Amino acid sequence: MHSVATRENLSKDVLRRRLLLVFFGLATNMGIKRVAVTDKHCESEATLRRVRRLFVNRADMRAALRKLVNVTFAARDETR
């Protein structure tokens, strides 16, 4: 008997890379499809969309952007 459920165990590095690609595609308005088409990272559009569906929501995007902006401003303050 075969189950219709699937389970995928990703290493932290693979998940981080996929999340970074998804965040890049969404934050730059480039989109997931264009990020996948570049083919320099060996990730398909389907895998990136799956990661987006499972791990990314509006609150996560705002939190990631907030962290990025705070780190950027902190780095600018250190250089002054």
Side-chain angles (χ1 to χ4, degrees):
M1 174 163 233
H2 294 283
S3 172
V4 294
T6 60
R7 179 178 168 95
E8 182 178 12
N9 287 330
L10 295 175
S11 70
K12 286 184 180 182
D13 292 336
V14 171
L15 181 59
R16 285 180 185 147
R17 184 179 70 238
R18 289 179 183 176
L19 282 170
L20 184 61
L21 290 168
V22 168
F23 282 140
F24 176 78
L26 296 175
T28 60
N29 288 333
M30 186 174 176
I32 293 174
K33 185 175 184 176
R34 286 190 196 158
V35 170
V37 170
T38 60
D39 210 24
K40 294 180 181 179
H41 45 71
C42 301
E43 298 292 346
S44 71
E45 181 181 355
T47 59
L48 295 180
R49 289 195 183 278
R50 178 176 167 83
V51 166
R52 190 224 182 274
R53 187 178 71 248
L54 293 175
F55 297 102
V56 179
N57 58 37
R58 184 173 289 178
D60 291 339
M61 283 293 291
R62 286 182 178 158
L65 183 59
R66 190 177 307 116
K67 282 184 178 182
L68 177 65
V69 169
N70 288 336
V71 168
T72 302
F73 286 149
R76 285 184 183 176
D77 289 344
E78 289 176 5
T79 60
R80 289 182 183 179

